[in-house]
Amino acid sequence: MGNGLQAARRKLSFILTPLTHMYNDVWNALEQATLFAGMKAEEIEGELKALDFNVRDIPAKDTFLYQGKACQEAIIVLDGELVARMTEGDNKTLTVDYLRTGTLLTPAFLFSNDRNAPVSLMAVSHARLFCMSVAHLDLLLHANMQVRHNFLRLLSDINLFLLNKIKSVYLAPLRDRLAQHLLRMARKTGSSNITLHHSRQELADLFGVRKSSLIRSLSELEAQGAIFVRQKEIVILNANMLKAGA
């Protein structure tokens, strides 16, 4: 497998010079990707320059991949944000995650016997994507131990994420799940003032509940003095009260 990659590099060496400057911004962006953690732009370029890939721009609000469609490529978010949503037959929608710069999309399904996407992917804002065939990702994983290690870690992290997602959606009361989410956001930002980047409906979809249920739980937490709710901001007034619920 390594010999195949080396042969491809030799075959394409005559066209690499003009491509180097064209894709400098791509190599730099991929430094932030989990798949290339621990690697510099020059190293990433050296591994990818003989492999087939393309860069696509997705306008805001466009759906890039529909639930049930086959995942034929390894895709990394270079810039922008995507939202992954799952829809059931009764049109109930669950927001699985928001996917930001550096994220490798659907890694757990790339080498599965069933590559049909379990979610739809829509661009929240204008997004730029790095796309590579699964076959060439396979070459890369065999050729570079660091990339292979990063990919295995990604799969492990996804298992943990899904277990926590099941717990947050199905096992705990909504009030407790909401308290846990607010505490997590506060830790992430280092502030008790949490700016809401998504609508109440989008936040409800994140928990797989109706908007009215979300608003009721927020009102309960506010009435208890745990939080203060503004239009686009939630202020944590009593973190200990939230921790007791979470």
Side-chain angles (χ1 to χ4, degrees):
M1 191 71 69
N3 291 335
L5 184 56
Q6 291 173 6
R9 284 175 176 160
R10 288 194 296 271
K11 183 177 180 181
L12 296 178
S13 61
F14 68 98
I15 64 169
L16 294 182
T17 300
L19 288 179
T20 298
H21 299 294
M22 184 185 303
Y23 288 115
N24 274 344
D25 59 334
V26 174
W27 316 137
N28 292 331
L30 287 175
E31 278 189 333
Q32 310 304 316
T34 311
L35 185 65
F36 296 104
M39 299 176 66
K40 297 297 185 182
E42 295 78 10
E43 299 175 77
I44 297 169
E45 177 189 357
E47 293 298 331
L48 294 180
K49 62 186 179 182
L51 300 177
D52 289 335
F53 66 86
N54 61 79
V55 177
R56 299 178 200 163
D57 288 287
I58 310 299
K61 306 303 180 184
D62 271 20
T63 298
F64 172 71
L65 179 66
Y66 286 93
Q67 183 175 330
K69 297 296 183 181
C71 302
Q72 302 289 3
E73 296 176 304
I75 301 168
I76 297 174
V77 182
L78 295 175
D79 189 36
E81 182 180 43
L82 302 177
V83 59
R85 289 196 176 106
M86 184 180 294
T87 304
E88 295 303 321
D90 59 356
N91 290 325
K92 183 177 180 180
T93 299
L94 171 66
T95 297
V96 178
D97 201 8
Y98 285 89
L99 310 169
R100 299 176 176 86
T101 301
T103 303
L104 174 64
L105 308 183
T106 64
F109 297 90
L110 294 176
F111 295 101
S112 171
N113 290 327
D114 181 2
R115 294 186 187 176
N116 292 334
V119 297
S120 292
L121 298 173
M122 185 190 77
V124 176
S125 58
H126 177 273
R128 196 170 187 227
L129 307 179
F130 172 92
C131 307
M132 172 190 291
S133 71
V134 174
H136 277 229
L137 174 62
D138 192 33
L139 283 174
L140 180 62
L141 293 174
H142 279 82
N144 189 289
M145 183 179 296
Q146 180 67 51
V147 176
R148 186 163 63 250
H149 171 79
N150 291 341
F151 187 77
L152 292 173
R153 188 180 63 184
L154 270 171
L155 297 181
S156 299
D157 289 344
I158 286 173
N159 283 336
L160 182 59
F161 169 79
L162 291 177
L163 287 173
N164 288 331
K165 190 69 178 182
I166 291 171
K167 179 181 178 181
S168 70
V169 172
Y170 295 110
L171 300 183
L174 177 57
R175 181 193 178 282
D176 295 351
R177 288 182 272 152
L178 187 56
Q180 186 180 59
H181 177 74
L182 294 174
L183 289 170
R184 185 165 56 248
M185 292 297 295
R187 287 194 299 270
K188 184 176 180 180
T189 60
S191 172
S192 59
N193 290 36
I194 302 168
T195 301
L196 299 177
H197 298 288
H198 307 292
S199 68
R200 299 290 193 272
Q201 183 59 61
E202 289 170 333
L203 191 57
D205 289 343
L206 190 64
F207 293 101
V209 300
R210 295 181 183 277
K211 179 181 174 181
S212 58
S213 299
L214 173 78
I215 293 175
R216 183 166 57 252
S217 292
L218 285 171
S219 298
E220 290 173 358
L221 289 171
E222 188 171 28
Q224 293 166 2
I227 62 174
F228 175 69
V229 181
R230 296 193 183 107
Q231 187 67 23
K232 282 289 186 178
E233 185 180 45
I234 294 177
V235 182
I236 296 178
L237 301 177
N238 191 325
N240 289 330
M241 189 176 293
L242 289 181
K243 290 175 184 177

